[in-house]
Amino acid sequence: MNRFITLTFFLTLTLLLSSCCREELLNLTDARERVKQYYEGGQYDKELDEIVFDAKTKFSTIEVKQNSAVIFDIDDTALLNYEASKRMGFGYVKNMVDEWVSGAEVPAIPRVKDLYDFLLNKNVKIIFLTGRFSDEYDYTYQNLINEGFAIFDTLIVRRPEEQKLPAVEFKSNVRTALTQQGYEIIGNVGDQWTDLDGPHSGIRIKIPNYLYQTK
Ligand SMILES: [Mg+2]
């Protein structure tokens, strides 16, 4: 009898625990609405204000040398793809993305542009490093110019032999090569941790991105 009571007790406890602690799953419709609110309701800009303010404070403490450089990622760091993402229902449709980026009219993120201007005024060298491919170089270059990112040392895209490398490996390899060329990378600005992880990153500035995540 005692065994029966003990078994019943543990079964009830297990059932209670599994029902009370079940993770509430967010419905996709609600998730989309929350993301939309985040970007369009001022929260994204507010968060960026704080991040850029903090970044400027950190860079102000650094002595800028002739070879000091800051790396900027492009997609959703310098330029914002939010409108394209919204048009695709926050999914990914390759043809639509290709059309969107090849128009060279992807808008700048003004607060990141402000950080770029701040660094230029401090005579920091700017390097754009993107996971975009080499056949996208021309319109990517043009887009940066169109959006006011007119001064930079170099724009680096993925070469054909680098297409299959994981993002973190591709970007780390480039930073190592740049360091060997003589640059001192004092900072790195990106919307993905794969932009920032790895060696020679300097001060890491993470731009928020609730649209997608690169692994
Ligand atoms: Mg990016």
Side-chain angles (χ1 to χ4, degrees):
M1 189 62 183
N2 275 349
R3 282 181 65 189
F4 177 73
I5 291 169
T6 310
L7 188 65
T8 311
F9 171 76
F10 278 112
L11 271 173
T12 312
L13 188 66
T14 310
L15 277 170
L16 273 171
L17 280 174
S18 63
S19 62
C20 86
C21 305
R22 199 179 297 134
E23 197 186 345
E24 194 64 39
L25 194 60
L26 185 62
N27 188 281
L28 196 52
T29 305
D30 295 333
R32 285 197 193 97
E33 192 51 39
R34 278 175 65 173
V35 167
K36 193 166 163 261
Q37 273 303 315
Y38 172 81
Y39 280 92
E40 297 184 21
Q43 206 184 333
Y44 179 60
D45 292 338
K46 189 168 169 285
E47 205 173 323
L48 270 177
D49 275 339
E50 288 164 13
I51 290 164
V52 168
F53 179 82
D54 186 47
K56 285 179 178 176
T57 308
K58 284 177 178 161
F59 282 120
S60 296
T61 64
I62 288 190
E63 184 203 347
V64 175
K65 300 178 205 149
Q66 233 184 347
N67 59 346
S68 298
V70 169
I71 293 181
F72 280 77
D73 168 57
I74 294 182
D75 285 296
D76 300 300
T77 296
L79 307 176
L80 184 63
N81 293 305
Y82 174 75
E83 278 306 320
S85 186
K86 193 170 126 181
R87 279 182 216 167
M88 296 182 287
F90 299 113
Y92 181 87
V93 182
K94 190 179 181 307
N95 288 350
M96 285 178 79
V97 172
D98 289 347
E99 196 182 327
W100 165 259
V101 294
S102 63
E105 288 176 352
V106 183
I109 299 177
R111 285 151 178 88
V112 176
K113 171 71 168 48
D114 180 44
L115 177 60
Y116 159 90
D117 289 332
F118 171 85
L119 292 167
L120 273 184
N121 283 335
K122 287 176 71 70
N123 293 320
V124 172
K125 292 184 164 53
I126 305 292
I127 293 165
F128 284 103
L129 171 57
T130 173
R132 290 189 185 188
F133 299 133
S134 46
D135 59 355
E136 301 178 287
Y137 183 94
D138 289 348
Y139 57 67
T140 302
Y141 184 93
Q142 194 54 51
N143 202 152
L144 288 171
I145 306 288
N146 291 348
E147 289 302 309
F149 295 101
I151 300 170
F152 49 90
D153 257 39
T154 180
L155 160 62
I156 300 169
V157 293
R158 275 181 196 256
R159 293 172 297 179
E161 62 270 29
E162 293 165 326
Q163 287 194 5
K164 287 187 178 156
L165 282 183
V168 72
E169 199 178 328
F170 160 63
K171 293 204 166 183
S172 296
N173 289 350
V174 170
R175 290 197 304 276
T176 301
L178 287 167
T179 304
Q180 285 163 354
Q181 284 167 32
Y183 285 105
E184 187 191 343
I185 299 165
I186 61 167
N188 192 358
V189 189
D191 65 291
Q192 303 290 323
W193 288 111
T194 52
D195 297 326
L196 309 174
D197 286 344
H200 311 297
S201 237
I203 295 170
R204 305 192 307 167
I205 310 297
K206 173 71 172 66
I207 303 300
N209 184 343
Y210 288 93
L211 300 171
Y212 55 87
Q213 199 171 30
T214 309
K215 301 282 182 189

